[in-house]
Amino acid sequence: MKRLTRPAFWVPLLSAVPVVSLLVLGTAPAQATFTARAAPRFIGIDVGTLGGPNSAPNDPSHSITESGIVVGSAETAALDSFPKDPGCLSSPCHAGHAFEWRNGHMTDLGALHGYQSGLFELNGAGVGVGVSETGKLDPLTGIPETHAVISKNGRLIDLGTLGGHESWANSINDRGQVAGWAANKTRDRWAHLFVPYPSATQLRATLWQGGKPRNLGTLGGPDSLGGFVNQRGQVAGESFTNATKNPATGVPTMHPFLWQHGVMKDLGTLGGKIAITTWMNNRGQVVGGSDLRGDHTFHPFLWNGRRLVDLGTLGGRYGQANWISDTGAVAGFAEVAGRRGYHGFLWKNGTMRDLPPTGKARCSTAFAVNTGGKAVGADTECRGNNLAAVLWEHGAAYDLNTLIGRFPVHLAEAFYINQRGEIACLGTLPNGDLRVVLLVPAGLAARQGLSAAPATSQAPADQRAAARGVPDPRDNATSLLGQLAATIRPRLQS
């Protein structure tokens, strides 16, 4: 079976760095077993492609709107002529375009004259945010240029850079403010570590409004990234605080920040030399992962508006927060006491609850939680490959493959859940092709007139056996994560 890799648009550094310990690489096929099915709780919808073999989301983001619109990247029938394009999903590499899917129809938003593009999310006005290749090669790196874009009226609009060749945007609020980062013209030895499309010049956290970029500065180092903007206009991200290589991490000291009213506030760390933000809610609470003193392990953190709080673990050595809801519930993963593995967790009001895997899987991770307290994520084989999409609610864990009717796609992970309970999943067809799948609660589907998907020709057990493990969305060898994995992995195997 062909080896699949994630689209480059999935993995900006800001969601990747703290997970390095989990990336003891492997591509083992899924081995979990099917359980007996009750009446389907969800209707599964394969959103399809644009004529090519694969579709995928871009994460982390609000991948589904509250009206059920799905965004992401989907491959076309055309082949990408650049042989080593970082945006390729598989070989041969197909051109992949940003899409919007609504009411059963996928709209191709094209690209800025390049082969690859993707959307992260839409705001309340239906304006999307993402990234696209421009059709030019970066003369300093020799790889395709990528620019931050918004989508409006069915087309992509270039947001430009700060004078360099690269920019990136993955968050937009209802005011139309866009957060991301952009390159300037100053050469920099560290910027190539940050994104799948590396830059040879400095990257700066950037806030676009009305199409105009605002350089948010840094915490004293050469580079910064703006990851998220909330409805208040606050921006969260991370920044180097200096340009000096640390022996333990191999990179300069990096701290998370919260920018508001023109000021970038250093949120500090839990004692180590590196910390990264993974999400921010509309109250300005920020979560992520931070090394502890000595940089031998890392813990999940919460910026509660006053201080950085260590959320702890499930008794083990490491963990990371992936998401925080507007009600303050935090989802993530943490090592379990006495075991060489990790479980998802849900933290609220000082208490961390274990979100265990289903079936025979050893490990699990929670990617998102909605305001109703429902968390979604995946069973994993503890080495960076996701085996089955999971829903945790009311103290129980459910393999989502058992909550839908017979369906041709094996659901390998659930990466987002909206307030209506609709769930965005990534799954695989029996031939290994990737698909974005929307799960709609049965009651909502009935009100919308949706029907169950047609039955697959494979029996469920055969379908599960044919499915492959899907690499974790935060696993990308071209980000800083890949650079650090070799040094951090041994310390977590000891």
Side-chain angles (χ1 to χ4, degrees):
M1 186 175 295
K2 67 183 181 182
R3 179 182 175 87
L4 295 178
T5 58
R6 284 303 185 79
F9 302 134
W10 274 56
V11 278
L13 167 77
L14 50 95
S15 66
V17 171
V19 220
V20 290
S21 65
L22 305 184
L23 304 182
V24 184
L25 302 178
T27 55
Q31 296 296 323
T33 57
F34 254 75
T35 58
R37 293 177 184 270
R41 287 186 50 192
F42 293 91
I43 299 300
I45 302 171
D46 178 353
V47 305
T49 73
L50 294 169
N54 300 295
S55 61
N58 298 305
D59 183 58
S61 64
H62 295 99
S63 303
I64 318 169
T65 70
E66 291 307 312
S67 58
I69 303 171
V70 181
V71 298
S73 300
E75 290 184 329
T76 70
L79 294 179
D80 188 332
S81 65
F82 190 74
K84 297 182 179 180
D85 196 317
C88 293
L89 268 171
S90 57
S91 181
C93 180
H94 287 252
H97 287 177
F99 74 79
E100 291 181 14
W101 181 97
R102 67 183 77 199
N103 300 323
H105 177 71
M106 178 179 284
T107 299
D108 184 349
L109 298 176
L112 298 176
H113 309 293
Y115 287 99
Q116 306 292 338
S117 64
L119 279 194
F120 285 85
E121 61 186 24
L122 300 179
N123 68 8
V127 178
V129 65
V131 64
S132 173
E133 294 179 359
T134 66
K136 300 177 182 179
L137 293 183
D138 182 335
L140 301 180
T141 64
I143 66 167
E145 283 186 350
T146 55
H147 282 190
V149 297
I150 58 171
S151 66
K152 198 170 184 179
N153 301 321
R155 67 185 185 93
L156 300 182
I157 300 171
D158 191 344
L159 293 179
T161 72
L162 293 173
H165 295 280
E166 308 290 338
S167 61
W168 193 282
N170 56 289
S171 183
I172 186 170
N173 64 17
D174 288 345
R175 304 181 190 180
Q177 295 173 307
V178 173
W181 55 91
N184 62 25
K185 295 181 179 181
T186 304
R187 295 297 290 262
D188 176 44
R189 63 175 295 199
W190 301 110
H192 73 280
L193 297 173
F194 282 114
V195 293
Y197 292 81
S199 174
T201 60
Q202 291 176 345
L203 297 173
R204 296 298 171 91
T206 303
L207 183 68
W208 285 268
Q209 187 160 18
K212 297 180 179 181
R214 178 175 182 174
N215 182 347
L216 302 187
T218 76
L219 294 173
D223 302 288
S224 61
L225 305 177
F228 311 101
V229 60
N230 63 15
Q231 299 298 354
R232 296 180 178 182
Q234 297 169 303
V235 178
E238 46 276 319
S239 171
F240 286 139
T241 64
N242 55 54
T244 304
K245 178 180 177 179
N246 290 300
T249 64
V251 297
T253 300
M254 176 178 283
H255 287 188
F257 71 77
L258 181 64
W259 181 95
Q260 57 183 337
H261 308 308
V263 177
M264 180 179 285
K265 181 179 179 60
D266 187 340
L267 303 186
T269 75
L270 297 177
K273 299 296 186 181
I274 189 167
I276 301 295
T277 60
T278 55
W279 198 253
M280 174 178 62
N281 66 15
N282 286 316
R283 296 163 60 186
Q285 296 172 309
V286 180
V287 296
S290 171
D291 274 10
L292 304 186
R293 187 176 301 277
D295 297 286
H296 296 297
T297 190
F298 53 90
H299 278 191
F301 74 74
L302 163 67
W303 170 258
N304 64 10
R306 301 180 303 278
R307 64 187 181 93
L308 207 66
V309 179
D310 185 342
L311 301 186
T313 71
L314 293 168
R317 297 163 292 175
Y318 60 84
Q320 176 187 285
N322 291 329
W323 195 277
I324 182 167
S325 71
D326 285 344
T327 56
V330 180
F333 69 87
E335 188 181 40
V336 180
R339 295 184 57 187
R340 293 184 181 272
Y342 55 92
H343 287 181
F345 71 75
L346 190 62
W347 182 97
K348 185 76 180 288
N349 297 329
T351 300
M352 180 177 286
R353 192 171 85 231
D354 190 343
L355 301 180
T358 67
K360 297 180 180 179
R362 286 185 52 219
C363 293
S364 59
T365 185
F367 291 136
V369 57
N370 67 10
T371 56
K374 295 181 179 181
V376 295
D379 286 345
T380 86
E381 33 72 286
C382 305
R383 296 190 299 173
N385 289 300
N386 295 324
L387 303 178
V390 179
L391 167 68
W392 291 276
E393 62 175 354
H394 308 307
Y398 300 94
D399 179 341
L400 284 166
N401 292 280
T402 69
L403 301 184
I404 58 176
R406 291 172 63 92
F407 193 62
V409 182
H410 169 70
L411 307 178
E413 65 182 60
F415 52 86
Y416 180 67
I417 180 169
N418 67 11
Q419 308 316 316
R420 302 197 306 180
E422 294 169 302
I423 301 173
C425 296
L426 182 69
T428 55
L429 291 170
N431 68 356
D433 290 344
L434 293 176
R435 286 291 193 275
V436 174
V437 174
L438 174 65
L439 299 186
V440 183
L444 177 60
R447 293 192 295 273
Q448 294 178 339
L450 299 175
S451 59
T456 175
S457 59
Q458 284 190 305
D462 294 335
Q463 181 182 338
R464 175 65 67 91
R468 57 165 294 120
V470 174
D472 188 279
R474 290 140 180 91
D475 175 2
N476 187 290
T478 58
S479 70
L480 177 56
L481 170 62
Q483 307 296 323
L484 296 181
T487 61
I488 296 181
R489 186 182 308 125
R491 76 190 188 198
L492 292 166
Q493 293 176 318
S494 59

